[in-house]
Amino acid sequence: MRVLAIILGGGAGTRLQPHPLTRAKPAVPLGGQNRLIDITISNCINSGILKIYALTQFNSQSLNRHISLTYNLSSGFSGGFVEVLAAQQTPDSPS
């Protein structure tokens, strides 16, 4: 099967305030050390989709760090990866 997942993870999260004021919506903690984006990435991996790109944008530093530290698929998953494609957007620089 040749499938690639693209996860859009760049929302400002205005409906989840106050959490996303300091981090991207997908980086908001959910049940301890898990983040919202972990649900989507876990669903991909459990479905056999091991090539995953996460497109991040708003206040993405903590989200990018979380993804890179949590998903190292090079050991145990042949040919799989979770890679961040980042554009930077902050409240001070919305464009």
Side-chain angles (χ1 to χ4, degrees), residues 12 21 57-61 87-95:
L21 294 178
Q57 186 173 3
F58 187 84
N59 279 350
S60 60
Q61 182 180 2
Q88 185 62 33
Q89 182 182 26
T90 64
D92 299 331
S93 177
S95 60

Side-chain angles (χ1 to χ4, degrees), residues 5-70:
I6 298 175
I7 299 171
L8 304 177
T14 55
R15 293 173 293 191
L16 293 176
Q17 288 185 3
H19 293 290
L21 294 178
T22 58
R23 64 179 75 199
K25 180 172 37 178
V28 171
L30 179 70
Q33 67 183 15
N34 293 324
R35 311 288 176 98
L36 285 174
I37 198 164
D38 292 330
I39 296 167
T40 307
I41 293 175
S42 175
N43 284 341
C44 288
I45 293 170
N46 290 326
S47 298
I49 301 170
L50 303 179
K51 296 178 181 177
I52 304 166
Y53 287 105
L55 280 61
T56 63
Q57 186 173 3
F58 187 84
N59 279 350
S60 60
Q61 182 180 2
S62 68
L63 178 61
N64 297 347
R65 183 177 58 247
H66 171 73
I67 292 172
S68 66
L69 293 174
T70 305

